[in-house]
Amino acid sequence: MAKKDKPDVPPGTPWQKVLPLLVAFAVVACIGPMLFSAYWIKTFSSVGALILVSGTVALLYGQLGMVSLAQFALSGVGGWVTLRLVHGFGLPFEVCLIAGAFVAGLFGLLVGLPALRMRGLYLALITLMMAAAFQVVVNVIGFPDGGTGFTGKIVAGQRVLIERPWIARSDHAYFVYVMVWSAAGMGLIEWLRASRAGRAWALIRKSEAAAIAAGVSVVRYKAAAFALAGALSGLAGGLIAGLNGQLDNTGFHASQSILAYALTVVGGAYHWMGSVFAGLLIRAVPALLNDHGVDGNLANVFFGFALLVSLIQGRKGLAGALADFYKFVRMSRIVEGSVQWAVVSIGLAVASAWAGLTSFAGALFIVLIALLFRMAIPTVCWMLLGFFGKRVQDKVENVEGALSLKLSQAIESIGLVPDHRILKRTLNALFVGLFVAWVAWGVFDVPYLVALALIWAAIALKAAFEWAVYPRVLRLRQRIDARWPKPHAAYR
Amino acid sequence: MKTRVLAVAAFTAAGLVATSALAQDKCGLGNGKKATGEPIPLGAVVGKTGPEDFSSGAAAAAAYFKCVNENGGIHGRPIAYTVQDDQWNPEVAAQAASKLVQDTKVVGMVGNSSFVECGANNKLYETEGVAVISSVGVPRACFFGKNYISFNAGPRQSTVGAAQYIVEKQGVKSLTCVAPGIPGFGDWVCAGVEAYGKAANVPVKTVIFDPGALDGNAIALQIAAAKSQGVVLGMPRGMMLPILTAAEQQDLGKTMKWGLPTSAYHADMPKAVGKYWAGKTIVHMELQPMDSTGPDNNNWKAVMNKYGSKTDPRDTFSQAGFLSAKVATEALLSIKGPIDRKAVYDAFKGVKNWRSDILCGPWYFGAGERHQPNHIGRAAELTTSGFKTVAECYQSKDAELADVLDFEAKNAAMVK
Amino acid sequence: MDTLLPFFVVGISVGAIYALSGVGLVVLYRASGVVNFAYGALGGLAAMVCWQIIDLEYAEPLGWAAGIACATLLSWGYGRFIAPSLTHQDRIVRAMATLGFALMIMGLAQWYWGDTPRRLVLPGDSGGLEFDGRRLISHTRVTALALAAASTIGMLWLLAKTPLGLRMRALQSNRVLSALAGVRVKRVDSWAWLLAGLFAGVSGLFMGNMVRLNPTVLTFLVIPAMAAALVGRMNSLGWTVFGGLLIGVVESLANLQPGLQRYGSATAFVVAILAVLWQQRRGIGLSRDNSHLE
């Protein structure tokens, strides 16, 4: 019996699933304050809270199969209660935060009531109506800013911002604070997903009749899911209130709840990394564009396109694609690829910064994007062709194959050994270079030729690496593959 | 090709060029030499992307600073002016201010104009010791900040000014005040009208609406239901249009007198609202009419033509931006030692009894807890092709100005 | 009564446009099973294109035609090229995909035209029917009412009496059996999307005139339209029209009551939620023949 005959079963215990999440959040919480500028610390604090909101959407959609388009409105509820309690009673911030989460959880139950007897699409529409109704109500009563009475709204007077908790007064400290709460919330979600509750939810998603037959109390589990989702969203809302000291009606339009759902799907609703991507997409990408004066509406166009593509592709999102990648690619290739990426990108970034052409971070960013696009562009092109139908896809593939063959034969006749994918790779490299360089020039003000040179150098170096290093590390790769086998991977 | 702002803006620019008798395009030291020293960082936060584009003040300030940099700079040092968009979102406004104050380390802020940044950032400006000479302040917080000052009278003063005119000169006996429910803005503006109404014995009804779900119909209906003799719209220009459209459809211009604040004073307003409203609408002006020929006004027009872009609006907020940049430049030029944040703060705050043909009265910063030096304006009537001034400089009768007037009475040096 | 009448009249006219939008949504849902979130965005685009053409000093009818054609074409294009890749997925996914489409259109329109305040003027704006010396209802609104009535009757006739309508009803009843019986599914679907685009374009023009000419605002006007459709249970055209008119009138009359004025815009949502709660009092699920929700 081979010693390494492990079956391909994902880690089972809840702790095994939660630990990577906690470690990742801890690492970011530690490194963040050292790396980020004042602008980005504030942005990433917001991202942290949005990761939690996205996590609740993912819980409801990914695990339970229910679309809730009202989650961001529920964080508005939580934020409102937090603000009112801090202004009105001067209680410690954490107490108000928990109270806000609790009330938002009750509202979440309210949102979930229709779910008890409704089909998915009707539920989506009803939650949308609720989010829109919340938008109207919050516009009338406003968010508390130091006044008296139930609404706590100051009329024609000095508006008051709330103080941050005493342990997290500075921007950097508050970032860590948000990360801690976010990790706790996401950890709770992951824990439940991996435990009995998660299995009950998954069974309900599969078939309610089966769940009832298996003895699962459908009503109780659905209610619990919506209450939990509401509570955690409310918690996130309270955290955002603490970040800015105030909340604004404009931030809680129904469109925000819709975007939260859409980008959760794009990021991936079936894994916690997806929520992280979603948080980054919702807050960090617009902040990046705004910082460079690019119109935020173009971000919306991109998000809409990404949503369409994700749904057509099978709705696993970015995280799902990454998870598939991990599952279907050999460990040795992953290790080798990562090492090569790191060496090439850091090396080029250092060289570029030393030569004064760009900053270290800028060059690093461009090279990494180029290497990423090198892998992603062929897939995207394939998908775009798919819009026109399978016949078109096949025809294009045939043409490309024929040309590639001709090119390979030509290279062989010179005496070199060609890669049979050489045409694809050359076209890809050309396109990625020209396109990403153009984006870098337009958005980040990097001179076009500098960006182009960086990108092509990165691609060339990586190819050279692969070609030069391959025979030398063959045995090392075999050892890695033996240690971490991947039953579904292709061994080319 | 984006058709950004209307071609009318370009035509207006041409028209204004034609009417300017003395086109001066010199600024600052005015010596025609390009500044090449170490840049002085200044910043601004504006509400550009959102329900309306409020960046014309910063655009004018940017043009003025370009002119200064071409004319010797600040004793040889150019000004590096960065404008950040807060997208009408307090969260983004806080991030933008953090970036400018803590990352870019600006020595002062000039030309701001935003609906949300005063409330979000006043505290940051105080703790970091940054003085802000904004072009246009909008919500209440902008006029009640220790380090924040602007050149406009504010929407509350301007709306009260419009209400004042239609009550005193057109015999209106009851008013409706319409304003968007933006925190620190809508309720504050209409509270001013209500206070004025109380003092003038004119009953005032208030209609507050959700700016994000602006339904011209609903508001016109509410105005009709209120049945007042006069209506004042305390809001940015863009929000006025749907309301005026719906009111026209219900023929409310026939039965009511309409007063608009200075945000309506824009060259394309007559065309945008249509012929129906000519002669029925009064517009309050916080600054001088755009086509007047005083030296500062000509300077503004010349600077915008030479250093501004064709799509920059030439409206009253642009004039305010020009003024903010001019005052800031003069203050910077007066600094004797190194130009750091403290020196700039003291210089900005030390401005007193500053006069311009664009303003009706003296302008000053000073060490007070709040600042609102511009409280005198004019009124114009909307015509089919433009505006006709109907009242020269008059004081706004807002009760909230009591402490400012008191301060001016006690500190004559500020205003004389 | 005198005070109520103008409010009632305005409410009916706005409600007529909600009804028109609702009818378009329901027709599409019945034929293809997709709730079209892009409805408002298409209408918004139609309104902006129309405004742009009129602003460039071309003839007004050209502007209307261009705007409506834009919406129709885009809707048909989506239905022909993109929707087929999703037919095997469940209804939610197909609805969310239209959401992606809506975000794209809205983003592009908002980016190109920006937030500059504009007005879409239709010729019927300046005249109107008088009553007792006061303007009661402008010609534009009368046209809207007439169009809503005409198009509803037209759709009812289409569905009941024409071969295309018969095929649409067959598709709604059972797609697979219809395909087996020889109904050309893609073609009928395309027609449904085309009609939906037509409705979207027309209602977009009226909304742009009556509410506000702004792409984002017009995109989210799909929500009240959906509320009207929900009143009609996403199936009955008559009830949808009733729902739309009801929402319009209640929204308008709410302006009379000082306490309710600011909550007026929530009418659509409240009506929708109440309607659905009433409808599902016995539980909701697909009908036995899978043709509609009940």
Side-chain angles (χ1 to χ4, degrees):
Chain A
M1 196 69 140
K3 197 163 62 150
K4 299 287 181 282
D5 203 14
K6 277 197 329 207
D8 181 39
V9 171
T13 71
W15 190 236
Q16 279 175 312
K17 281 217 148 158
V18 172
L19 194 59
L21 185 156
L22 294 177
V23 167
F25 272 73
V27 165
V28 172
C30 291
I31 301 188
M34 295 190 285
L35 273 186
F36 303 142
S37 67
Y39 180 73
W40 285 106
I41 271 280
K42 281 208 165 97
T43 311
F44 282 118
S45 305
S46 189
V47 168
L50 261 298
I51 290 177
L52 195 50
V53 175
S54 171
T56 65
V57 175
L59 173 69
L60 287 174
Y61 182 58
Q63 196 71 12
L64 195 52
M66 309 246 138
V67 176
S68 171
L69 292 174
Q71 289 308 107
F72 203 65
L74 287 171
S75 47
V77 170
W80 193 97
V81 172
T82 306
L83 282 174
R84 190 72 193 88
L85 290 178
V86 170
H87 278 303
F89 301 100
L91 296 168
F93 184 72
E94 286 74 17
V95 172
C96 303
L97 204 59
I98 303 281
F102 182 74
V103 174
L106 289 177
F107 273 83
L109 261 181
L110 208 67
V111 167
L113 272 179
L116 298 179
R117 302 176 86 184
M118 260 191 225
R119 286 288 173 269
L121 185 57
Y122 255 56
L123 178 68
L125 290 176
I126 289 300
T127 53
L128 181 60
M129 299 289 148
M130 291 186 179
F134 174 78
Q135 172 189 334
V136 173
V137 169
V138 94
N139 245 288
V140 176
I141 64 174
F143 279 101
D145 49 10
T148 52
F150 179 72
T151 61
K153 191 129 175 38
I154 284 269
V155 178
Q158 180 69 10
R159 299 179 66 210
V160 181
L161 305 177
I162 61 170
E163 287 285 334
R164 289 186 185 156
W166 63 274
I167 50 170
R169 278 279 146 83
S170 73
D171 281 346
H172 290 222
Y174 198 75
F175 170 70
V176 176
Y177 188 76
V178 168
M179 281 289 133
V180 166
W181 276 109
S182 192
M186 290 298 291
L188 180 63
I189 293 178
E190 274 313 298
W191 183 281
L192 288 171
R193 264 199 191 180
S195 66
R196 186 196 165 98
R199 291 192 288 278
W201 287 328
L203 188 55
I204 294 174
R205 176 183 79 206
K206 188 102 174 118
S207 157
E208 277 190 38
I212 296 174
V216 168
S217 166
V218 172
V219 170
R220 209 178 286 172
Y221 275 103
K222 271 189 180 176
F226 275 94
L228 179 68
L232 289 176
S233 292
L235 186 72
L239 288 171
I240 301 177
L243 173 67
N244 298 320
Q246 59 175 322
L247 286 176
D248 191 56
N249 327 348
T250 56
F252 290 91
H253 274 187
S255 57
Q256 291 292 311
S257 285
I258 294 180
L259 261 180
Y261 170 79
L263 292 174
T264 304
V265 172
V266 171
Y270 299 93
H271 192 271
W272 62 265
M273 273 303 283
S275 300
V276 173
F277 287 137
L280 287 170
L281 283 172
I282 299 178
R283 281 286 183 264
V285 167
L288 182 66
L289 292 179
N290 189 34
D291 203 22
H292 291 270
V294 177
D295 194 339
N297 291 304
L298 293 176
N300 274 343
V301 178
F302 171 66
F303 291 154
F305 179 68
L307 177 63
L308 253 181
V309 162
S310 292
L311 289 173
I312 292 178
Q313 273 249 291
R315 50 192 175 132
K316 277 211 190 138
L318 277 170
L322 275 179
D324 277 350
F325 178 75
Y326 184 78
K327 189 171 168 194
F328 290 109
V329 175
R330 284 175 289 160
M331 198 56 169
S332 61
R333 269 195 76 71
I334 295 179
V335 168
E336 179 203 358
S338 310
V339 167
Q340 283 175 353
W341 275 36
V343 168
V344 167
S345 56
I346 294 180
L348 275 177
V350 164
S352 170
W354 178 75
L357 293 169
T358 64
S359 68
F360 176 80
L364 189 69
F365 193 63
I366 292 176
V367 169
L368 282 176
I369 293 286
L371 291 174
L372 181 71
F373 267 49
R374 195 183 72 87
M375 293 175 46
I377 289 289
T379 325
V380 171
C381 287
W382 179 251
M383 261 173 2
L384 286 174
L385 279 178
F387 281 155
F388 297 104
K390 193 139 187 356
R391 256 185 300 175
V392 175
Q393 264 183 340
D394 290 339
K395 255 195 234 168
V396 170
E397 256 215 340
N398 290 342
V399 167
E400 192 263 332
L403 282 175
S404 199
L405 185 61
K406 286 227 172 55
L407 194 57
S408 305
Q409 285 168 342
I411 295 181
E412 262 175 2
S413 63
I414 310 179
L416 297 169
V417 179
D419 182 340
H420 68 278
R421 293 162 298 185
I422 191 157
L423 180 67
K424 248 192 207 143
R425 287 192 161 190
T426 322
L427 285 177
N428 190 21
L430 276 175
F431 174 73
V432 168
L434 297 171
F435 177 68
V436 177
W438 176 70
V439 170
W441 168 74
V443 177
F444 302 105
D445 288 328
V446 178
Y448 187 75
L449 288 174
V450 168
L452 193 63
L454 266 176
I455 293 165
W456 278 347
I459 296 178
L461 273 176
K462 176 134 183 351
F465 246 115
E466 270 184 49
W467 176 77
V469 156
Y470 182 73
R472 269 158 262 245
V473 292
L474 198 48
R475 241 185 324 162
L476 179 60
R477 294 182 70 171
Q478 284 166 342
R479 284 230 301 273
I480 296 177
D481 282 336
R483 174 77 178 79
W484 289 287
K486 299 273 187 78
H488 299 279
Y491 284 75
R492 268 181 283 154
Chain B
M1 265 191 319
K2 292 192 276 181
T3 319
R4 268 285 156 184
V5 178
L6 326 163
V8 178
F11 284 131
T12 313
L16 290 178
V17 168
T19 59
S20 63
L22 248 156
Q24 322 158 323
D25 52 10
K26 297 265 182 272
C27 333
L29 292 174
N31 56 19
K33 281 197 280 212
K34 209 161 150 54
T36 49
E38 188 194 331
I40 302 174
L42 291 177
V45 177
V46 297
K48 190 167 159 57
T49 318
E52 203 150 327
D53 185 344
F54 253 70
S55 64
S56 49
Y64 191 86
F65 287 139
K66 249 194 233 161
C67 174
V68 167
N69 290 347
E70 299 280 322
N71 282 286
I74 305 295
H75 301 305
R77 294 176 65 181
I79 293 179
Y81 185 55
T82 318
V83 180
Q84 286 273 336
D85 177 11
D86 70 11
Q87 300 182 334
W88 285 62
N89 185 328
E91 193 178 324
V92 181
Q95 290 165 357
S98 272
K99 177 169 180 177
L100 288 171
V101 169
Q102 291 162 331
D103 293 334
T104 319
K105 300 211 182 342
V106 294
V107 294
M109 305 271 277
V110 178
N112 301 23
S113 52
S114 161
F115 265 75
V116 298
E117 81 113 358
C118 301
N121 295 328
N122 264 344
K123 203 154 140 207
L124 177 73
Y125 296 143
E126 269 187 52
T127 45
E128 296 278 338
V130 173
V132 181
I133 301 186
S134 75
S135 55
V136 175
V138 189
R140 186 186 183 282
C142 299
F143 300 96
F144 283 81
K146 184 156 172 268
N147 290 358
Y148 209 99
I149 192 170
S150 56
F151 272 87
N152 63 334
R156 177 169 158 143
Q157 302 305 324
S158 197
T159 312
V160 168
Q164 226 172 294
Y165 186 88
I166 63 176
V167 163
E168 290 173 10
K169 300 281 191 295
Q170 295 188 336
V172 161
K173 302 246 184 316
S174 54
L175 278 175
T176 304
C177 173
V178 186
I182 301 175
F185 179 86
D187 45 9
W188 175 62
V189 167
C190 281
V193 178
E194 281 169 8
Y196 167 72
K198 204 149 150 210
N201 218 6
V202 168
V204 176
K205 295 202 181 105
T206 303
V207 173
I208 305 279
F209 62 89
D210 169 7
L214 171 51
D215 181 355
N217 271 318
I219 299 169
L221 283 174
Q222 291 178 37
I223 295 175
K227 283 198 176 54
S228 303
Q229 290 184 356
V231 182
V232 285
L233 303 180
M235 63 192 69
R237 184 173 74 248
M239 295 183 193
M240 290 179 190
L241 288 187
I243 299 176
L244 291 172
T245 311
E248 178 182 333
Q249 292 206 354
Q250 295 178 38
D251 209 12
L252 293 175
K254 198 160 77 174
T255 45
M256 301 176 181
K257 298 257 182 282
W258 291 69
L260 306 177
T262 197
S263 50
Y265 184 64
H266 186 284
D268 63 335
M269 190 68 172
K271 182 170 177 221
V273 296
K275 293 196 182 21
Y276 176 84
W277 291 104
K280 300 187 177 75
T281 324
I282 294 295
V283 178
H284 181 264
M285 290 186 284
E286 294 171 330
L287 301 172
Q288 204 188 37
M290 291 185 287
D291 50 4
S292 69
T293 54
D296 273 348
N297 214 37
N298 289 336
N299 192 200
W300 166 64
K301 285 183 271 194
V303 165
M304 288 305 289
N305 287 331
K306 186 158 176 199
Y307 297 98
S309 100
K310 287 235 175 355
T311 51
D312 288 339
R314 269 78 160 152
D315 57 6
T316 173
F317 303 143
S318 177
Q319 285 175 306
F322 163 83
L323 287 173
S324 66
K326 185 155 194 256
V327 164
T329 307
E330 289 179 12
L332 285 169
L333 283 169
S334 75
I335 297 178
K336 298 276 186 294
I339 300 184
D340 58 7
R341 200 176 274 173
K342 174 97 181 48
V344 172
Y345 180 87
D346 292 332
F348 279 2
K349 284 227 161 177
V351 175
K352 57 184 178 207
N353 199 17
W354 194 86
R355 294 185 182 258
S356 162
D357 52 281
I358 298 182
L359 290 165
C360 266
W363 192 90
Y364 58 93
F365 204 143
E369 287 299 309
R370 88 173 194 89
H371 308 278
Q372 192 160 10
N374 182 358
H375 41 77
I376 305 177
R378 303 177 171 88
E381 187 178 71
L382 192 68
T383 65
T384 47
S385 57
F387 299 86
K388 188 180 76 177
T389 307
V390 294
E392 284 301 324
C393 300
Y394 64 94
Q395 169 87 287
S396 179
K397 286 193 186 152
D398 184 9
E400 201 181 58
L401 281 174
D403 59 341
V404 171
L405 296 172
D406 197 45
F407 178 83
E408 286 179 15
K410 292 207 179 83
N411 295 286
M414 289 288 170
V415 295
K416 289 205 192 351
Chain C
M1 195 56 212
D2 190 37
T3 36
L4 279 183
L5 193 56
F7 289 84
F8 186 77
V9 163
V10 169
I12 282 269
S13 48
V14 174
I17 299 304
Y18 290 151
L20 190 68
S21 314
V23 166
L25 272 175
V26 170
V27 165
L28 183 63
Y29 181 74
R30 281 173 66 164
S32 68
V34 179
V35 173
N36 189 4
F37 276 88
Y39 201 79
L42 289 168
L45 184 68
M48 298 309 298
V49 166
C50 176
W51 176 86
Q52 183 70 71
I53 299 227
I54 294 181
D55 196 55
L56 290 171
E57 308 279 323
Y58 291 111
E60 281 190 354
L62 184 65
W64 310 334
I68 297 176
C70 244
T72 312
L73 206 66
L74 275 172
S75 183
W76 172 83
Y78 181 88
R80 177 72 185 77
F81 295 114
I82 304 184
S85 348
L86 291 160
T87 41
H88 59 284
Q89 306 235 25
D90 62 30
R91 285 166 191 245
I92 294 206
V93 173
R94 281 184 281 160
M96 294 302 137
T98 60
L99 186 68
F101 191 50
L103 281 173
M104 285 176 73
I105 299 179
M106 178 184 90
L108 280 171
Q110 192 71 36
W111 167 73
Y112 185 78
W113 278 288
D115 283 310
T116 313
R118 296 181 183 91
R119 210 181 129 164
L120 180 63
V121 182
L122 294 176
D125 281 349
S126 37
L129 303 176
E130 303 271 329
F131 174 76
D132 204 12
R134 263 186 315 163
R135 168 89 55 79
L136 187 62
I137 181 171
S138 65
H139 287 312
T140 313
R141 290 165 192 271
V142 175
T143 320
L145 267 171
L147 260 176
S151 42
T152 311
I153 296 174
M155 286 314 307
L156 283 169
W157 173 82
L158 182 96
L159 285 170
K161 298 278 187 231
T162 60
L164 177 64
L166 178 65
R167 291 189 203 112
M168 281 187 185
R169 281 185 288 136
L171 273 186
Q172 177 188 8
S173 186
N174 192 316
R175 273 179 102 86
V176 177
L177 283 182
S178 310
L180 279 174
V183 172
R184 305 190 65 156
V185 176
K186 258 194 187 166
R187 190 172 288 191
V188 176
D189 255 358
S190 300
W191 271 106
W193 281 94
L194 192 127
L195 282 170
L198 193 65
F199 273 73
V202 172
S203 48
L205 287 184
F206 279 105
M207 285 296 195
N209 169 276
M210 288 197 233
V211 178
R212 191 174 179 192
L213 189 58
N214 178 288
T216 313
V217 169
L218 290 172
T219 302
F220 286 101
L221 280 176
V222 71
I223 301 182
M226 266 188 226
L230 278 173
V231 173
R233 273 184 294 157
M234 304 297 284
N235 186 55
S236 153
L237 290 184
W239 280 104
T240 305
V241 169
F242 172 73
L245 293 174
L246 178 72
I247 292 171
V249 169
V250 173
E251 221 177 46
S252 180
L253 289 178
N255 288 307
L256 279 173
Q257 180 71 308
L260 288 181
Q261 269 174 2
R262 295 180 65 184
Y263 292 99
S265 37
T267 314
F269 321 129
V270 172
V271 166
I273 294 174
L274 288 175
V276 171
L277 286 176
W278 171 256
Q279 286 158 10
Q280 62 113 53
R281 64 193 187 281
R282 273 189 238 105
I284 267 200
L286 274 181
S287 66
R288 199 163 284 268
D289 60 348
N290 285 343
S291 64
H292 59 273
L293 287 156
E294 58 179 12

